[in-house]
Amino acid sequence: MPNIVLTRIDNRLIHGQVATQWTSSINANLLLVANDEVAQNKTRQRLMDMAAPTSAETRYFSLQKTIDIIHKAADRQKIFIICETPQDVLTLIEGGVPIDKVNIGNMHMSDGKRQAVGSVAVDDNDVETFRKIQEHDVLLEIQRVPSEKKESLDKLFNS
């Protein structure tokens, strides 16, 4: 079984907080961005590589490639999966990726979304997707950075 130390939803993917605070707090040595668009976009990959810590390798896989090869990961790999949306995470879970906890870190405000808590904005589809993720016995946590306390999920589901 792959050693997935954390799965995070952050529409910025790899950036300062992920690179400095999260990666070190969970002792990850592989940052896996699971995103169909980024898997094809070498420019975005290079930009994220510049933000990534030297202590961790980076991989940019499509959702399907992640599903197909995650079980081939070496035991020494401490994998930090970073997804852009809850829908991407649900796709991974339904595809057999053994995710037991999801950190909800940053979901930008955009048309049709409402502020749920802090840096997390959701629409009805996001809320329904989070419910489906929970149906797979996956723990959801809202926490921007490791040093801050976790937010109540009530704010997510009752926004």
Side-chain angles (χ1 to χ4, degrees):
M1 180 170 302
N3 185 8
I4 299 170
V5 292
L6 185 64
T7 301
R8 177 176 169 91
I9 297 169
D10 191 322
N11 60 336
R12 299 166 297 175
L13 301 170
I14 298 176
H15 59 90
Q17 289 172 346
V18 165
T20 58
Q21 297 180 45
W22 281 107
T23 302
S24 63
S25 76
I26 61 173
N27 201 27
N29 60 18
L30 176 63
L31 306 182
L32 170 55
V33 173
N35 180 274
D36 291 341
E37 191 275 327
V38 171
Q40 304 299 319
N41 189 326
K42 297 296 182 193
T43 301
R44 283 188 72 188
Q45 291 177 25
R46 282 191 295 276
L47 289 170
M48 285 187 263
D49 281 343
M50 288 192 297
T54 57
S55 62
E57 295 182 36
T58 56
R59 298 285 184 275
Y60 304 96
F61 293 163
S62 68
L63 297 174
Q64 189 59 53
K65 183 173 181 177
T66 303
I67 291 165
D68 291 344
I69 71 167
I70 194 73
H71 293 284
K72 297 176 185 173
D75 291 341
R76 70 181 183 289
Q77 293 175 308
K78 297 174 186 170
I79 305 168
F80 183 8
I81 298 176
I82 307 152
C83 293
E84 193 169 38
T85 68
Q87 292 77 18
D88 287 351
V89 171
L90 182 60
T91 298
L92 295 178
I93 292 167
E94 290 177 341
V97 176
I99 294 171
D100 57 12
K101 180 167 80 170
V102 174
N103 167 265
I104 305 163
N106 196 68
M107 295 174 61
H108 282 282
M109 179 65 84
S110 61
D111 287 343
K113 298 215 179 211
R114 59 196 176 272
Q115 203 69 34
V117 59
S119 60
V120 178
V122 296
D123 59 20
D124 292 342
N125 184 31
D126 295 329
V127 172
E128 180 59 27
T129 301
F130 283 127
R131 290 187 198 287
K132 288 178 182 175
I133 290 170
Q134 284 184 314
E135 289 171 7
H136 288 275
D137 294 324
V138 174
L139 175 66
L140 296 176
E141 297 180 337
I142 301 171
Q143 188 176 24
R144 197 171 62 85
V145 293
S147 60
E148 293 181 359
K149 71 179 187 94
K150 295 174 181 74
E151 297 283 346
S152 169
L153 286 178
D154 292 341
K155 295 177 182 178
L156 181 68
F157 292 112
N158 297 322
S159 62

